[in-house]
Amino acid sequence: MNHQCFLSGGGDTDNMDFGSRINTNELNSAQLEAVKTINGPVLVIAGAGSGKTRTLVYRLVYLVEQGIDPDSILLLTFTRKAAMEMLSRAATLLGGSCNRVMGGTFHAVANLLLRRYGHYIGYGTNFTIIDRADAEGIINLIKSSLDLGGAGKRFPSKRVILNIISGSINKSYPFEELVNSQYYHLVEFIDDLNRIRIHYQQFKHDHGLMDYDDLLVNFRDVLAENENVRREVSSRFRYVMVDEYQDTNRIQAQIVRLIAAEHDNVMVVGDDSQSIYSFRGADFRNIMDFPKIFPGAKIVRLEENYRSSQKILEATNAIIDQAQEKYTKKLFSNIREGERPFLYAARDDGEQARYVAGKIAELHEQGTPYHEMAVLFRAGFHSFKLELELANSQIDFEKRGGLKLTETAHVKDVVSYLRLVANVRDNLSWHRILLHLPKVGPKTAQKIVTTVAGADDPLASLKNYPSAPAWKQEFAELVRTLSDLQNLFTPLSQFERVMEYYQPVFERLYHDDYPSRARDLEQLKTIILDYKNLQDFLDDASLDPPDLNADPFSEEDNRKLVLSTIHSAKGLEWDTVFIIDLAEGKFPSVHAVPFPDQLEEERRLLYVAATRAKTRLFLSYPRETIAADRSRHYCTISPFISALPAGLIDSIPRVENVYGYSPSASWSFSSNQLMASREISGKTAMPAQSAKGLPSDKIESTENLAPGMNVKHGFFGHGQIRKISGSKTVDVFFPRHGMKTLRLDYAQLELV
């Protein structure tokens, strides 16, 4: 597929007047400044909803109208659709056809130019680009050739191996360090993983193949290592424009720098406050360091927002004002009507779900279409209880950026055992759990199911089934588990017995990523805690998954309420937005708190979520959660919200009887802090952190620390100090998580 697109100005453009093609009334003063700045490096900080696409389109038109050869313009975007839209709109304004400006994704442009210059690194013009499935197939082939995979061998899957290889490239992170820090449970395989990586690179080179990462790396290397190529490419593309610059990784930023080597005529457009994709390799430093990489860069701020009401923007501005490092900007809007954001402190997760579902129903009755409302959350599993509540309320929804409760394989596994308790003749569940047995394939499973299904007492028939020696022990344990389940009478006790059996099966089946999957099972347990009857849980959990063959652009699908992770919601907008689970430890995530860079990205994530709202914004959090061990934990509100100045958010002190409950919290706003008090069993719930003036057990400086001391961390557990760096930073080795560099301001370490 040709990802290149060209734009023709048509005729003599040397003496064209800018106003003859563009109505300057469509541009505000900042946009016009960005459009008319042609030479030298320009950084356009485009706030949310500030019309960055319009600015890029009009700047493209302006360049051509000033007599600049369209062949010398390069537009780099993150999606082919974005490039086509911009070039099409520019061509319409110019009255010409799209045929001379090169525009497309980084990968598409790299592909085109590597066809010409790839021979410098040993590739011919006819190299083949492989997709994800091809790459995983090669990994599998290499695993087999090195005798690292196969039946009965516990080794990371091809998917995870490719994730590690690609992650190391995109994050510009040493391979071994990435395994140690993010795939610590696979450290024992690190040497073999590195062998596979080396063989994979050699295989591609020997067979004239490039994957998507290779396109960027090889293009960067050709430019960096060959001065004549760099000069030729830079001389051809004398005007470079880059969209969504905050989402670039380090390699892409290097490519931009190399292409502009001869002239520095680069305009990048982005928003540091919306840099939220570090897990994909995006580097926040690219946009922050642009003025250093391109000395003398002009900075233009687009601050007029065309999406949200002023009252919403006042709150979102305050959220991002707390950022430790940023380009200062104040979004403003001429949309004066609307209400301040609302905050609801729910008693627990269930009450939060009931409140959100009830409010959505109320707004719909008042005339707001479901598809103009969205519920946003930090992680996919945060919406599980809400999904059940929406299903009970018969509110149809579409979930984006995460699987529904029963769509994850490991949750389906557990639910299958529970379904057999309710219906011992559930053949689908029998098939699923029998295939968990080692050495049992589809044919054997079918034989067992046929025998069991035709028996008067399926469990007795299962117990008497002649198992093979290869799976006799595991089969006997399965029979014992199913028998025990018949004598347990609460959903929680049944779940716990299933997990007693399933845990080693779980770790075997999903050995390469079971730590991350385990959180879903913990969430499932907290949901089951609310049920007294297993059938009620199974009925609620049977949410219909979306039809994979349905047209995503059909009218019916576009009328649904949207549930979405915030990452999947970036770039979208709705009339009304709900952001849920804004509790400390959930948002920001407990995993991010010890690391300043990750904590700052969490803040930007909330900013992105809040700026999706046009008219109404609802914030909520549970004041109490139940952990997997059935212990109750009292939550404080997210520090991102508690630090907001007074008067920006309205609290919701009670809920109308139509929702079936009335919260008991009383709320007040102080100048810089949102305080909540609630009497629980005669005692006042206190935040986890120490109050002012009270002694704290947390380590606040390295003054009395030394390597070898044992410490405890809230998430990583027990560890040992290995290195002290300055007054606030220590390196700690945790047996299950590897080496971590922690800032004492955030880590809340304790001496053991």
Side-chain angles (χ1 to χ4, degrees), residues 690-718:
S690 301
K692 284 186 178 179
L694 296 178
S696 172
D697 294 329
K698 309 301 181 186
I699 302 172
E700 297 181 350
S701 76
T702 60
E703 183 177 354
N704 296 316
L705 300 181
M709 285 184 170
N710 294 321
V711 293
K712 179 182 178 182
H713 184 269
F715 173 69
F716 298 124
H718 290 266

Side-chain angles (χ1 to χ4, degrees), residues 671-731:
S671 60
N672 284 307
Q673 192 173 28
L674 189 62
M675 301 294 294
S677 65
R678 181 185 180 205
E679 295 297 323
I680 304 172
S681 302
K683 298 181 180 179
T684 302
M686 295 295 293
Q689 62 269 29
S690 301
K692 284 186 178 179
L694 296 178
S696 172
D697 294 329
K698 309 301 181 186
I699 302 172
E700 297 181 350
S701 76
T702 60
E703 183 177 354
N704 296 316
L705 300 181
M709 285 184 170
N710 294 321
V711 293
K712 179 182 178 182
H713 184 269
F715 173 69
F716 298 124
H718 290 266
Q720 186 179 78
I721 296 175
R722 294 292 176 84
K723 180 182 177 183
I724 296 175
S725 305
S727 62
K728 292 289 185 180
T729 305
V730 293
D731 288 354

Side-chain angles (χ1 to χ4, degrees), residues 144-202:
S144 298
S145 68
L146 297 177
D147 197 26
L148 297 174
K153 292 191 176 181
R154 180 177 171 271
F155 196 79
S157 68
K158 59 186 179 182
R159 176 182 61 83
V160 169
I161 295 171
L162 193 60
N163 285 346
I164 299 173
I165 294 172
S166 182
S168 173
I169 294 170
N170 282 288
K171 297 177 183 179
S172 298
Y173 208 60
F175 185 81
E176 291 82 0
E177 289 185 26
L178 184 68
V179 175
N180 277 302
S181 62
Q182 297 184 28
Y183 297 87
Y184 54 86
H185 57 293
L186 303 179
V187 169
E188 62 182 293
F189 304 112
I190 194 165
D191 291 337
D192 288 332
L193 291 172
N194 205 25
R195 288 172 63 201
I196 291 174
R197 178 183 66 87
I198 294 169
H199 279 269
Y200 177 59
Q201 293 300 118
Q202 190 62 47

Side-chain angles (χ1 to χ4, degrees), residues 11-70:
D12 182 11
T13 61
D14 289 351
N15 298 313
M16 283 188 180
D17 175 48
F18 180 59
S20 66
R21 296 287 183 173
I22 301 173
N23 181 0
T24 54
N25 292 330
E26 294 181 354
L27 299 171
N28 60 43
S29 58
Q31 290 172 332
L32 190 59
E33 181 182 7
V35 166
K36 299 185 75 171
T37 303
I38 294 180
N39 296 312
V42 184
L43 170 60
V44 179
I45 300 298
S50 63
K52 72 175 180 64
T53 300
R54 179 191 307 167
T55 303
L56 281 166
V57 169
Y58 285 176
R59 201 226 188 203
L60 187 58
V61 172
Y62 184 64
L63 289 174
V64 176
E65 289 190 336
Q66 296 308 298
I68 292 171
D69 186 351

